[in-house]
Amino acid sequence: MLLTAVWVTLKLATITTVILMLLAIPMAWGLANMQSRLRPLLEALVGLPMVLPPTVLGFYILLLCSPNYAPGQLWLSLTGTTLAFSFTGLVIASVICSMPFVVQPLQRAFEQLDKGLLEAAAMMGAGRMDRFFNVVLPCTRRAMILAACMGFAHTVGEFGVVLMIGGNIPGETQVLSIALFDAVESQQFTEAHQIAAGLMVFAMILLITLYSLDRQPVAQLPLKSHPGRY
């Protein structure tokens, strides 16, 4: 049972982190360079899961995933299954509630990026995608690692939203935080100790990794010239 919960947790955190990075990078880049008056509103929407009680967020996601609302109806018509209390629903909820923990470090890194490097790359003939992949991504590599670690760790530790959307189905939606709650409720304290200690060790290893990264010097970026342009 414990190993199954570990597997479900790792699978959920890995899939969620991959999706988060794919969505958060363009989102953070857009927010960092946005000049519109709508920027505070969009930033508030992204950061809302950080201040909203997880049960409130989980309740509204549960409603959207139910067959009574359009997203849940569409999923039911396409797959014949419901999103609520499924692993897919758990992934969607985890992406939403962990989004600000990934977007905000990336947005800060993009805002602090030396625009002179981008201008120099543009003058050397680099296109937008070229500048993004060869200048922006290498310069913000540390923020990328930090954002991915934050998204992974928050997904592993999330409880309220996971309980509301996924319930407690062993092998399907029962992650470690739910298994810990279940073990305490059933007074299986030996198993509860094992889960709690494992999560504490994971958190310590993650923090040591992040602090170690924070002490490393930032590598200088060599700009590549484009033959034929000069």
Side-chain angles (χ1 to χ4, degrees):
M1 180 178 171
L2 181 57
L3 289 178
T4 304
V6 170
W7 165 245
V8 173
T9 303
L10 292 177
K11 185 171 69 169
L12 174 66
T14 302
I15 294 173
T16 299
T17 303
V18 171
I19 296 173
L20 278 172
M21 292 304 290
L22 292 175
L23 296 177
I25 291 174
M27 192 180 298
W29 179 255
L31 287 174
N33 294 283
M34 182 177 287
Q35 303 296 328
S36 170
R37 293 180 180 178
L38 293 176
R39 175 173 169 171
L41 174 62
L42 296 176
E43 288 177 327
L45 286 174
V46 172
L48 192 59
M50 294 185 73
V51 296
L52 206 59
T55 48
V56 175
L57 181 63
F59 172 69
Y60 283 113
I61 298 176
L62 180 62
L63 287 183
L64 292 175
C65 290
S66 72
N68 297 325
Y69 291 84
Q73 287 177 354
L74 178 63
W75 182 264
L76 182 62
S77 63
L78 292 175
T79 65
T81 60
T82 59
L83 269 177
F85 307 112
S86 70
F87 184 79
T88 304
L90 208 55
V91 171
I92 294 172
S94 297
V95 168
I96 294 173
C97 72
S98 297
M99 184 65 78
F101 296 90
V102 179
V103 170
Q104 291 188 353
L106 292 176
Q107 183 182 344
R108 284 195 295 272
F110 291 152
E111 288 171 344
Q112 294 169 3
L113 186 64
D114 184 1
K115 298 299 186 294
L117 288 174
L118 294 175
E119 293 171 1
M123 291 176 64
M124 296 170 70
R128 284 190 176 184
M129 296 300 291
D130 198 10
R131 294 199 297 271
F132 187 79
F133 283 104
N134 292 308
V135 178
V136 176
L137 290 187
C139 286
T140 56
R141 180 175 53 193
R142 184 183 297 171
M144 297 282 175
I145 297 173
L146 171 65
C149 289
M150 292 294 289
F152 190 92
H154 186 260
T155 304
V156 169
E158 179 55 39
F159 175 76
V161 172
V162 168
L163 182 62
M164 295 289 282
I165 304 300
N168 188 10
I169 306 173
E172 178 71 20
T173 62
Q174 188 188 64
V175 295
L176 281 172
S177 57
I178 303 297
L180 174 59
F181 178 74
D182 198 33
V184 172
E185 263 204 326
S186 57
Q187 298 187 355
Q188 297 176 5
F189 295 116
T190 301
E191 186 172 329
H193 275 304
Q194 292 174 346
I195 299 172
L199 289 173
M200 283 187 64
V201 170
F202 165 74
M204 280 300 298
I205 292 174
L206 180 70
L207 286 176
I208 291 171
T209 303
L210 293 179
Y211 284 129
S212 300
L213 284 172
D214 194 45
R215 292 179 184 277
Q216 291 180 5
V218 179
Q220 297 297 317
L221 179 72
L223 288 178
K224 297 177 181 177
S225 61
H226 287 246
R229 301 297 180 121
Y230 286 89

